Amino acid sequence: MTSLSDLPIRDDLRGLTPYGAPQAHVRVELNVNENTHPVPQQVIAEIMSRIAQALTTINRYPDREFTELRASLAQYLGHGLEIENIWAANGSNEVIQHVLQAFGGPGRSVLAFPPTYSMHPIIAAATGTQWLTAERDEGFYISPETAVAAIRAHTPDVTFFCAPNNPTGTPVSLETITAAYDATKGIVFVDEAYVEFAPTSHGTALSLLQGRPRLIVSRTMSKAFAFAGARVGYLAADPAVVDALRLVRLPYHLSALTQAAAIGALAHTPAMLAMVDDIKTQRDRLVHELAVLGFTPYESSANFVLFGNVADPHAVFEKLLSQGIIIRDIWMPHHLRVTAGTQAETTEFLTAIAALDAAQR
Ligand SMILES: *Cc1c(COP(=O)(O)O)cnc(C)c1O
């Protein structure tokens, strides 16, 4: 049998492991922070008709500039953003890849603050960008002073923030982002995949874009929009940043079907986001109930909760899985992460974990 090490693969890819969150299809799936509510039927009907229309010209390449989609995204984001400020790709993972292809790469570095999104180091590795890390403060926060000290110590080409942070749910203050921006000559990239679940009082880094051409704010339709399967992520930045990304993307990277589906979904933004409040209620319920059970949940601004004081996380994960409930073992000692699902799913999870022997949990 041929193995990877027999192949003339890039030396820097030897020994790496691919992204591998288990894709078990079970009754209650609370492991990858999807929106577990399906897309409303009337939105599906509109998306179907737009896809049918797109199919009539599918023999032609799609709009390489996805102008109509960018207009819809600019309108959704507000903050005075225009088509020229917007970029999109097949999931924000591809958006991040474009950013590192343009601003990272061999001989360059990206600084991050673990524990953070597991795909960030994987995309750094795939683009040959050196992955540098710095410590967070107590409670997983990053103060402006902590961010600035890390940037001074490492002088990275790109600095990543994840706000709110996955897997901890911790917000990142706008003061931290502006301090980081002022301390670096490089790119500051803020991954706001979960921002729709955060209190509006936390603000968004979109409000900082004006006059900061090295700041990039990314979003996704995978979480709040319940659109993970469609693969649509996007960013807002200075038009010059968008020009840089055009140099590295493959032409026609967003299919005509993807563009049609996303435009259809964005035309029904209120219906698509209708379940966000319900999910926030379930998230807060998880924080409350897990504490009552003796775990140590962290306050979360996202659609998931990280909780500690788990005696044996692998055993708890397996026990729940055997009952048709999958959550996330993030391989952090004594911690597990669970996505806020529907009320019924959240109840199932809480009932099952409460029923485990005290010794097991
Ligand atoms: C889920 C997630 C994303 C979304 O990735 P897509 O490729 O858009 O599905 C991006 N960033 C973070 C931090 C996430 O947790």
Side-chain angles (χ1 to χ4, degrees):
M1 262 241 297
T2 308
S3 77
L4 271 189
S5 56
D6 300 320
L7 296 175
I9 191 174
R10 270 164 44 188
D11 288 332
D12 61 333
L13 294 182
R14 283 180 203 281
L16 298 189
T17 37
Y19 178 81
Q23 260 198 317
H25 289 297
V26 295
R27 226 162 12 91
V28 180
E29 296 179 12
L30 303 176
N31 65 328
V32 285
N33 300 341
E34 291 153 339
N35 185 330
T36 68
H37 299 263
V39 171
Q41 208 54 51
Q42 89 267 20
V43 186
I44 290 181
E46 159 125 17
I47 291 172
M48 293 282 281
S49 91
R50 284 179 184 265
I51 287 180
Q53 184 62 36
L55 283 170
T56 64
T57 53
I58 206 78
N59 56 313
R60 303 294 183 182
Y61 283 111
D63 175 10
R64 197 169 55 211
E65 289 291 313
F66 42 100
T67 310
E68 191 183 350
L69 173 58
R70 287 158 71 212
S72 298
L73 290 167
Q75 195 190 1
Y76 168 61
L77 290 180
H79 291 272
L81 294 163
E82 315 249 13
I83 293 175
E84 294 69 31
N85 297 108
I86 307 294
W87 187 248
N90 297 281
S92 52
N93 284 321
E94 189 180 40
V95 167
I96 298 165
Q97 179 173 285
H98 287 167
V99 168
L100 287 187
Q101 283 178 309
F103 299 104
R108 290 178 164 234
S109 63
V110 55
L111 171 68
F113 299 83
T116 193
Y117 183 38
S118 63
M119 275 308 297
H120 286 165
I122 292 175
I123 299 167
T127 57
T129 313
Q130 188 187 7
W131 176 251
L132 302 170
T133 60
E135 302 258 320
R136 288 171 179 262
D137 305 321
E138 195 61 33
F140 301 120
Y141 286 90
I142 308 169
S143 69
E145 296 73 28
T146 295
V148 168
I151 287 168
R152 295 228 169 99
H154 292 290
T155 56
D157 298 287
V158 182
T159 302
F160 275 177
F161 292 101
C162 187
N165 186 50
N166 178 6
T168 61
T170 325
V172 180
S173 72
L174 298 186
E175 290 71 33
T176 292
I177 291 161
T178 51
Y181 188 91
D182 292 341
T184 181
K185 291 193 164 63
I187 294 286
V188 173
F189 179 89
V190 186
D191 185 336
E192 290 193 346
Y194 298 98
V195 78
E196 287 94 347
F197 300 103
T200 45
S201 62
H202 289 183
T204 156
L206 293 175
S207 66
L208 307 175
L209 284 171
Q210 190 67 45
R212 291 188 180 85
R214 293 176 289 106
L215 178 63
I216 300 176
V217 184
S218 88
R219 299 278 187 100
T220 181
M221 293 184 73
S222 294
K223 308 287 159 60
F225 267 89
F227 224 48
R231 311 303 302 124
V232 183
Y234 55 102
L235 62 72
D238 190 277
V241 168
V242 172
D243 281 339
L245 303 179
R246 281 192 183 89
L247 299 173
V248 296
R249 62 88 173 270
L250 298 173
Y252 319 110
H253 67 287
L254 269 183
S255 89
L257 305 183
T258 303
Q259 294 182 41
I263 292 164
L266 286 158
H268 291 271
T269 295
M272 294 294 280
L273 296 180
M275 299 320 292
V276 165
D277 283 342
D278 197 56
I279 294 165
K280 287 158 71 174
T281 303
Q282 299 310 316
R283 170 200 67 200
D284 294 340
R285 180 178 164 221
L286 282 168
V287 172
H288 178 76
E289 297 289 328
L290 286 167
V292 170
L293 291 172
F295 298 108
T296 52
Y298 292 82
E299 283 301 326
S300 172
S301 308
N303 69 338
F304 55 82
V305 174
L306 177 73
F307 57 102
N309 203 26
V310 186
D312 186 345
H314 309 318
V316 171
F317 173 85
E318 291 296 339
K319 274 269 182 232
L320 294 174
L321 186 57
S322 71
Q323 298 172 54
I325 302 168
I326 189 164
I327 62 168
R328 190 66 170 273
D329 183 356
I330 53 170
W331 297 87
M332 198 171 151
H334 302 296
H335 287 73
L336 286 167
R337 192 194 72 191
V338 61
T339 306
T342 61
Q343 181 172 17
E345 289 166 330
T346 306
T347 301
E348 274 219 53
F349 160 73
L350 285 168
T351 308
I353 200 165
L356 296 180
D357 283 352
Q360 285 173 321
R361 57 174 154 92

